[in-house]
Amino acid sequence: MKNLLAGFKEFIMRGNVVDLAVGIVIGGAFTAVVTGLLDGIINPLIAAIFGQPDISQVLSFEINGSLFSVGVFLNAVLNFLIVAAALYFIVVAPLNHLAERRARGQEEEPEPLAQDTVLLQEIRDLLAAQSGAGRSQY
C-alpha cells in the first residue's frame, strides 16, 4: 500500500500533471474573460449591425421542413476566432517574446574538452613554440 501511495505521489508531482491542472484552471478563468468580451462588446456590436443579439439567427432558411442556419455556423466560427485571437495575443505572444528574450541573454557554453584532447593541444602548442624558436636560431 505504501508503494502504491508513493507511486501516486510521484505521478501527481510530475510536471505534466501539474501543468495540465494549472492549464485547466486558467482555461476556466479565461472562458469567463472571453464570455465577457462576447457579451459586453462583440454581441452588442453584432446587434447594432444585424438587429439581432447574435448572428445565430442570421441567414436562416427552411427547405422541406428542414431548418438551415448559416448563422449558427458563423457564430461558432466567430467565437472560435475570438477565443483563438485572445489566447494568442494574451498568452502565446507574450510567452514567445519572453522565451526569445531569455534565449538571447543566454548562450550555451561549449562542452569542456576531454582531458586527452587538452593534453594533445598543449603538446601541439609546445611543438609549435619549439619549432618557431628553432627556426629563428638558424
Side-chain angles (χ1 to χ4, degrees):
M1 184 66 153
K2 193 172 188 178
N3 287 337
L4 187 63
L5 290 176
F8 180 71
K9 180 181 175 185
E10 181 182 332
F11 171 74
I12 292 297
M13 297 310 289
R14 227 182 264 166
N16 295 344
V17 175
V18 174
D19 291 343
L20 180 62
V22 169
I24 290 171
V25 170
I26 288 185
F30 193 73
T31 300
V33 171
V34 172
T35 301
L37 175 68
L38 284 171
D39 292 343
I41 297 173
I42 303 297
N43 287 342
L45 181 64
I46 290 171
I49 294 171
F50 292 105
Q52 297 179 13
D54 62 14
I55 60 174
S56 64
Q57 300 302 318
V58 173
L59 300 175
S60 295
F61 57 93
E62 189 174 331
I63 298 176
N64 291 333
S66 297
L67 181 65
F68 293 87
S69 181
V70 177
V72 170
F73 174 71
L74 293 176
N75 197 36
V77 169
L78 180 65
N79 288 344
F80 171 77
L81 291 175
I82 290 170
V83 169
L87 276 173
Y88 180 77
F89 290 113
I90 294 173
V91 177
V92 175
L95 288 178
N96 286 345
H97 182 69
L98 181 63
E100 181 183 311
R101 286 183 64 184
R102 284 185 179 168
R104 268 189 270 140
Q106 297 175 350
E107 292 183 23
E108 292 184 28
E109 293 187 25
E111 288 187 29
L113 297 174
Q115 185 63 29
D116 58 344
T117 306
V118 173
L119 184 59
L120 287 171
Q121 286 179 344
E122 290 175 2
I123 292 170
R124 179 199 62 200
D125 294 342
L126 287 172
L127 287 173
Q130 285 179 353
S131 67
R135 287 185 185 155
S136 64
Q137 290 176 358
Y138 295 109

